[in-house]
Amino acid sequence: MSNIGTRLFVGRTDELAELEEAFTRPGEVVVHAVHGLGGVGKSALAARWAARRHEKVRWWITVDDAGVDAVDAGMGSLARALQPGLAGMPAELQTERAVAWLATHDGWLLVLDNVKEPGHIHPLLDRMPVGRGRFLVTTRRATGWHDDATTIRLGVFNPADAVDLFTRILTHQGLRDADGADTLCEELGYLALAVRQAAAFCAETGINPRAYLDMLARWPATMFAAEGGGSERTIARIWRLTLGHLEGTPLAGDILRILAWYAPDNIPRDLLHGLAERPQLAAAVGRLVAYSMITDNHDGSLSVHRLVQALARTPDPHDPHRLPKAIDHARGQATACLADTFPADVDRPETWPRCRALLPHIDSLTRHHTAGHDTAHTAYALDRAATYRIGQGALAPTIPALRRALAAQERVSGVDHPDTLHSRNNLAYAYRQAGDLDRAIALHERTLAERERVLGEDHPDTLHTRNLLAGAYRMAGNLDRAIPLYKRTLAERERVLGVDHPDTLHTRNNLASAYRQAGDLDRAIALHERTLADSERVLGEDHPDTLHSRNLLAYAYREAGDLDRAIPLHERTLAERERVLGENHPDTLHTRNNLAYAYRMAGDLDRAVALHERTLAERERILGEDHPDLLHTRNNLASAYREAGDLDRAITLYERTLADSKRALSPGHPMIAKVRANLERARST
C-alpha cells in the first residue's frame, strides 16, 4: 500500500465514516474521488481508510503529473506483485495482465493518488466490468468527475484536531514548549500540510509556536518554502505546481492574486465583473474551482483558504506566479474593485446589505498592506465604509480609518483637492459623533475656510460643512454661534438648492432643534411641524429623513410638556423605525430611549425603567461602552432609578457614567456637566 505514514493520523472521524458508507453499495465498480485543496490531507485520509480495509488485494498508485504513464507503471508493479514471474516481460504485457486480473477477480481496492485530470484514469476505468472491485481517487480537481465517480470534498481540520497533530509532532522526542499552538494553527487555517510543516520546523529548530508565528509574519516567503521533518512537500511548492496547471488561463492567476487581499469567505463574485468579459471570467473562476484553489459557494459567493491568500499576496521573485510586480498590480485591482462597487449613498437602507457584505473585505485589504501603498481608491473605500459604520453607530474603527483615508488623499491628490476636503470633513464629523467636540469644531472650521476658498461660498459641499459646523457648535452648547450659522445655511440652501431639497429640509430640522435647545419651543415646534409635512410630501412617509423629522417633533412636544401628543408620536415613530431600519439600528434605539424618557415624564416609571434598561443593553451590545448615545441612556436610566426612589442604584450608575464621560468625551462636553449635576442632586436627596 501507500508509503504515507498513518501513525500520526488524527481526527477525520466523520470523513472516514463517509468514505465507509460510500463504498457499501454492491453491484458496480465503485469509484469515489476525494477532492480538496493541495495539502489538505487527502492522501493521508485515503491511506488511513485503506489501511483499515479487508480487501484481499489493496494497491496504491501515485499518479501525479505522469498521468496515464504513471497508471500503467503502477499496474505493472501490481502485476509483478501478483505474479513475480512477470518481471522480465514487456511493460505493456505486465499492465495488461494486471488489468485482466482485476477484471476477473473481486474483493480488491485500488487507490489512485493525486490524479490531475479525470482523463488520466479513463483508460483503466473503462475496462473494468461491473461488480468487481473498488477505486478510491484523490485529486485536487473538484469538477469533471460526473462521468466517472461520485465526489467527496475534504475540508481542513477542525481546530482541536489541528492542535492535536501539531502537538504530537512537536513533542515526538519529548516535552516541548507548545504555547501558542492554537493561535499558530488558526493562522495556518488548519491546513494539514501547513500544520505538519510548522510543527516539524519547530521540532527541528527548537523554536516555539509563537516564535514561528513571528517569523511567518516577518518572512512569509521563507517560511512557506521551509522544509520540516525531511519532507520536500511545502505549501509554496504545492501552490506553484497547482498554478502551473493553470498557465493556459492567465486570468485565473490574476483573479487568485486579487482575491488574496479580501476576507477568506463570502467574497461577492460580482466584485470581479470589471476584470474581463463574463465568459472569460466564468472560465477562469471555473478553473480555479476545478483545482480547489477557491470554493464556489451555494449562494454564489467565493471562498479562498487563508493560507492560499497569504501565499498569493506574498511576493517571491523566484516564483513566476508571485512576482512582486504582479502582486502590486493585483492589490491595486482589488482596491479598485471594492471602490467601484461600494455604494455611494450609505444612508439608504436598501444599500445596507451590500455595505455589510463588503466591510470585511475592505478591512482585510487595508490590514494586509501598509498605508504607504494606499491609493485614491483605498481612500474612497475607507471613507465609504467608515461613513456607513458611523450611521450604524459603530464608531470605534471609523476614526483610524478616516485618518488613513485623509492621509492618502493628501498624499495622492494634494491638501486642497475637493476629495481631500471631503475626507477632512468626514473625519471632523466622526470626531463630533464620538463626542470629541474640540477636535471636531477645529477641523470643521478649517474645512469650511478651505472649501470657501477652493469651491466658493455657495457650493453645496461648502454649505454641507457649514451645516455640520453649526451642529458641532450646538452639541457643544454654543447656541449663540449655532443658531446664526444654521439660519445663514438655511437661507443659502433655500436659494441654491431650493426649499424642498432634502439638504434644505435637514438644515431646517437642525435649526428647529437649536431653537428647542435654546428653550424657544413655539418656534421649534412650528418649524418641526412644517419640516415634517414637507418631508412627507417630498420624500415619503417611510423615508429615514421623514422618520427623523417625526422623532424630532415628538421630542419637541415632550419638551413642551405636551405628552398626549409626544408619546403617541414616539410610539408611532418607534414602530416605523423598527420596520424600516431594523430593531437594532442606532436611530431606532434613539427613539426607544426618547419614548422611555416620555414615559418617565408621564410618571409611568415601571415602563420607563424597563424600556431604558432594554435600550441600554442594546446600546452596550451594538455601540460599545464609550459611545455618547450609550452614556446618554445610562444617565437617563439613573434618573429613572432616582425618581423611582432607588437612590443606591441611581448614584452608582451616575458615578459610572460620569467617570466614563470624562474619559470618553472632550473636557468641555455638555454631557459631563449634566451627569455631574444629576449625581449631586441624587446625593443630596
Side-chain angles (χ1 to χ4, degrees), residues 487-639:
K487 287 181 175 179
R488 175 184 173 187
T489 307
L490 178 59
E492 290 166 340
R493 278 184 156 171
E494 287 178 338
R495 175 174 54 83
V496 174
L497 304 176
V499 294
D500 285 343
H501 191 280
D503 290 348
T504 305
L505 301 179
H506 186 62
T507 300
R508 192 175 295 136
N509 254 333
N510 289 344
L511 176 58
S513 295
Y515 286 149
R516 174 187 52 76
Q517 193 170 334
D520 192 348
L521 293 174
D522 290 339
R523 295 178 78 182
I525 289 173
L527 200 53
H528 276 313
E529 288 175 335
R530 175 189 170 188
T531 307
L532 176 58
D534 290 343
S535 294
E536 289 175 338
R537 174 176 53 82
V538 174
L539 303 174
E541 294 216 348
D542 286 347
H543 191 280
D545 287 354
T546 304
L547 302 183
H548 178 63
S549 294
R550 194 169 289 132
N551 184 70
L552 291 176
L553 177 58
Y555 192 107
Y557 286 152
R558 190 192 79 196
E559 290 294 289
D562 190 350
L563 298 180
D564 290 339
R565 288 204 287 179
I567 289 176
L569 196 55
H570 272 316
E571 289 174 335
R572 174 186 172 185
T573 307
L574 177 59
E576 290 167 339
R577 278 184 156 170
E578 287 176 338
R579 176 174 53 82
V580 175
L581 305 178
E583 290 203 352
N584 295 324
H585 189 274
D587 289 351
T588 306
L589 302 183
H590 186 62
T591 298
R592 192 171 291 135
N593 186 71
N594 288 346
L595 176 58
Y597 195 103
Y599 287 150
R600 184 180 126 211
M601 288 184 66
D604 192 347
L605 293 177
D606 289 339
R607 295 178 78 183
V609 168
L611 200 53
H612 274 316
E613 287 177 335
R614 175 186 172 186
T615 307
L616 178 60
E618 290 166 340
R619 280 183 160 171
E620 285 176 338
R621 177 173 55 85
I622 295 166
L623 304 180
E625 288 288 319
D626 291 341
H627 195 286
D629 288 352
L630 181 136
L631 300 175
H632 185 63
T633 297
R634 194 175 287 143
N635 178 70
N636 287 347
L637 176 57
S639 296

Side-chain angles (χ1 to χ4, degrees), residues 56-70:
K56 299 173 185 176
V57 173
R58 292 171 293 154
W59 197 251
W60 186 286
I61 298 176
T62 300
V63 181
D64 285 341
D65 292 326
V68 175
D69 291 341

Side-chain angles (χ1 to χ4, degrees), residues 35-315:
H35 68 89
L37 178 66
V40 80
K42 300 179 295 295
S43 298
L45 178 70
R48 179 70 166 189
W49 179 79
R52 297 162 55 177
R53 298 290 297 178
H54 302 290
E55 281 81 3
K56 299 173 185 176
V57 173
R58 292 171 293 154
W59 197 251
W60 186 286
I61 298 176
T62 300
V63 181
D64 285 341
D65 292 326
V68 175
D69 291 341
V71 174
D72 289 344
M75 294 297 289
S77 297
L78 173 60
R80 294 192 298 275
L82 294 169
Q83 296 176 281
L86 296 175
M89 292 187 176
E92 294 83 358
L93 180 59
Q94 294 180 29
T95 299
E96 288 298 318
R97 289 290 182 91
V99 171
W101 190 93
L102 294 178
T104 56
H105 292 75
D106 54 19
W108 50 263
L109 169 66
L110 193 60
V111 180
L112 303 174
D113 185 39
N114 201 21
V115 176
K116 300 300 174 66
E117 298 288 343
H120 292 169
I121 60 175
H122 278 162
L124 176 60
L125 298 182
D126 289 345
R127 298 178 64 182
M128 290 297 106
V130 172
R132 289 300 182 181
R134 292 172 169 82
F135 288 93
L136 177 61
V137 178
T138 72
T139 179
R140 293 174 203 161
R141 280 295 302 261
T143 59
W145 297 101
H146 45 276
D147 290 331
D148 305 297
T150 56
T151 58
I152 299 172
R153 181 179 181 273
L154 184 62
V156 298
F157 278 130
N158 67 50
D161 289 339
V163 173
D164 184 18
L165 176 62
F166 184 96
T167 305
R168 289 192 192 188
I169 296 172
L170 179 65
T171 60
H172 180 63
Q173 299 296 332
L175 292 177
R176 295 287 298 276
D177 179 9
D179 180 49
D182 52 347
T183 305
L184 175 54
C185 289
E186 181 182 7
E187 182 65 22
L188 297 174
Y190 309 114
L191 187 68
L193 176 60
V195 171
R196 285 180 173 273
Q197 181 181 330
F201 186 91
C202 290
E204 286 187 358
T205 60
I207 67 171
N208 65 22
R210 295 200 181 280
Y212 189 97
L213 268 171
D214 179 64
M215 289 191 287
L216 185 62
R218 297 171 64 185
W219 301 289
T222 301
M223 299 309 293
F224 290 141
E227 299 175 2
S231 173
E232 294 184 356
R233 293 185 80 232
T234 67
I235 296 300
R237 189 170 289 119
I238 286 179
W239 146 277
R240 187 166 177 173
L241 289 172
T242 303
L243 279 189
H245 291 281
L246 301 175
E247 287 180 341
T249 313
L251 182 59
D254 295 338
I255 290 172
L256 190 59
R257 286 184 289 271
I258 290 169
L259 296 179
W261 296 98
Y262 299 149
D265 298 311
N266 301 313
I267 303 171
R269 184 187 289 260
D270 61 6
L271 276 177
L272 306 174
H273 281 177
L275 298 177
E277 294 180 353
R278 295 293 176 84
Q280 293 175 295
L281 193 62
V285 169
R287 293 286 285 169
L288 289 169
V289 171
Y291 279 91
S292 300
M293 297 301 282
I294 67 175
T295 301
D296 188 1
N297 301 314
H298 295 305
D299 61 1
S301 67
L302 303 173
S303 295
V304 192
H305 189 275
R306 62 190 301 170
L307 207 56
V308 171
Q309 290 182 303
L311 274 163
R313 62 175 179 262
T314 300

